[in-house]
Amino acid sequence: ISPPQKSPIETRLRGKSVIVKLGDSLAPNTTYSITFGNAITDLTESNVLKGFNYVFSTGDFVDTLSLQGTLQSAFDHKPQKDVFVELYINNNDTLPFDSLPLHVAPYYITKTDDQGNFMFHNLQKEQFKLFALADQNSDLIFNQPGEKIAFYDSLAYPYYIPVPKHDT
């Protein structure tokens, strides 16, 4: 879920439905996105519903800006798959820029695909600090000796990407 919750999300199946229970209260005027990845399949043929997101807002509108890119290794320029890409809002005046992933969970998260591509949707109009983290313990914090980290040296600005209309 983006923005992440402090308490873990509880999920369970009830027949053909997925029940998602949030452990925290929701912030006002915030767009939330729950990413299911490849976790949903149909019951009869086991076809995977890839990249399904459930988006909702606690305000009057859903944020519509996006940010996309490709993550490559600095050593061999190969795409990096299944790496978390993290966005931090540029509003932290107590921690230095490079220390954020050591102490604070990101505000938005996504994962890279097999080609190293990542895409954020439903972002607010804000400046972000962007990091990539090969997280080994799924806590979204850079705190293990074997974890890899990268950062974008400038602030990232989301923009509007029109959603293509599929021919029916």
Side-chain angles (χ1 to χ4, degrees), residues 80-98:
Q80 301 297 297
K81 69 176 188 173
D82 293 328
V83 174
F84 285 109
V85 180
E86 306 175 339
L87 293 178
Y88 292 84
I89 293 179
N90 186 29
N91 66 354
N92 192 326
D93 58 355
T94 58
L95 290 173
F97 171 67
D98 59 352

Side-chain angles (χ1 to χ4, degrees), residues 29-159:
N29 300 318
T30 303
T31 298
Y32 287 89
S33 176
I34 300 173
T35 302
F36 289 88
N38 297 332
I40 298 177
T41 59
D42 74 38
L43 295 173
T44 56
E45 297 180 10
S46 298
N47 294 324
V48 176
L49 179 61
K50 295 181 181 179
F52 177 69
N53 292 322
Y54 181 77
V55 178
F56 63 95
S57 176
T58 57
D60 294 334
F61 60 90
V62 172
D63 294 317
T64 59
L65 299 180
S66 299
L67 188 64
Q68 64 184 358
T70 302
L71 181 64
Q72 299 177 356
S73 169
F75 299 107
D76 58 12
H77 301 286
K78 291 185 179 176
Q80 301 297 297
K81 69 176 188 173
D82 293 328
V83 174
F84 285 109
V85 180
E86 306 175 339
L87 293 178
Y88 292 84
I89 293 179
N90 186 29
N91 66 354
N92 192 326
D93 58 355
T94 58
L95 290 173
F97 171 67
D98 59 352
S99 297
L100 284 174
L102 295 168
H103 304 287
V104 180
Y107 200 74
Y108 293 105
I109 56 173
T110 191
K111 258 191 171 179
T112 58
D113 63 13
D114 291 342
Q115 290 80 36
N117 299 315
F118 63 88
M119 178 83 114
F120 289 96
H121 294 288
N122 305 104
L123 299 176
Q124 58 185 290
K125 185 178 181 182
E126 188 70 57
Q127 301 173 9
F128 295 100
K129 297 175 182 176
L130 184 135
F131 291 87
L133 178 64
D135 195 10
Q136 293 180 336
N137 57 358
S138 299
D139 65 353
L140 304 175
I141 303 291
F142 180 56
N143 57 6
Q144 298 292 319
E147 292 179 340
K148 297 177 188 176
I149 192 164
F151 65 93
Y152 186 61
D153 64 352
S154 302
L155 292 174
Y157 298 89
Y159 51 93

